[in-house]
Amino acid sequence: MAAIEVASVHPAADRALADQILAIQKSAYAVEARLIGDDRIPLLHESVDDLCAAQVHWLVARADDAILGAAAWSESEIDRLVVAPQAHRQGIGRTLVTGMLDSIAGQRVQVATGRDNAPARRLYESLGFVHTEDQEVLTGLWLARYELVR
């Protein structure tokens, strides 16, 4: 695989890019839905218009001009981290989180993932995030919330 390039992007200004990010987002959250046994993840059902309207900053990870992952954040909260399933376990998620952390000015960074999404939980914990609580956001749909204090 070619070197991974991480770049700041603006999907609202580039519909084709937004469509690519949304396709990766849907495939990534479909994997999470299988891991947690629940497909009610709101971002799994987001439209391209919703994605473009999100008030977040974006990074994408590319190799050979193909987008392999994307991440978004607002203020001091990681909003989403998605990696194309065929690119899992290649360090792309770690690279994107590190890129976001370099861009987030706050001393505390928060993130949530499916409580039963062990790969995501291991990633955040390996980067120093500490589990703060489990939260039931819909009946039977649980998130694990994390915080990084730096």
Side-chain angles (χ1 to χ4, degrees):
M1 177 185 287
I4 304 296
E5 170 200 335
V6 174
S8 178
V9 295
H10 303 284
D14 184 339
R15 185 68 171 218
L17 173 66
D19 286 334
Q20 289 177 307
I21 292 171
L22 184 65
I24 290 169
Q25 178 172 298
K26 286 185 178 285
S27 65
Y29 282 118
V31 170
E32 182 171 21
R34 286 192 298 278
L35 286 171
I36 69 172
D38 198 321
D39 70 353
R40 295 178 296 162
I41 302 166
L43 294 175
L44 176 60
H45 306 287
E46 191 173 56
S47 71
V48 72
D49 290 333
D50 295 334
L51 184 144
C52 289
Q55 297 296 305
V56 293
H57 306 279
W58 286 93
L59 289 177
V60 296
R62 291 186 175 101
D64 295 327
D65 292 327
I67 295 175
L68 300 176
W73 73 96
S74 60
E75 298 300 316
S76 61
E77 184 170 357
I78 295 174
D79 182 69
R80 66 190 84 191
L81 171 65
V82 295
V83 176
Q86 72 273 15
H88 283 178
R89 312 270 187 280
Q90 296 177 24
I92 294 164
R94 176 175 299 280
T95 299
L96 286 165
V97 172
T98 301
M100 283 188 286
L101 293 175
D102 289 345
S103 298
I104 294 173
Q107 297 299 304
R108 294 180 184 272
V109 180
Q110 298 176 326
V111 68
T113 190
R115 181 184 67 186
D116 297 327
N117 184 345
R121 293 187 71 167
R122 279 193 303 271
L123 170 65
Y124 292 121
E125 289 167 7
S126 75
L127 290 166
F129 284 81
V130 175
H131 179 249
T132 56
E133 69 173 330
D134 289 334
Q135 179 185 21
E136 189 174 23
V137 291
L138 296 170
T139 303
L141 179 62
W142 287 85
L143 292 180
R145 295 201 174 276
Y146 283 85
E147 184 174 81
L148 177 67
V149 179
R150 15 184 215 166

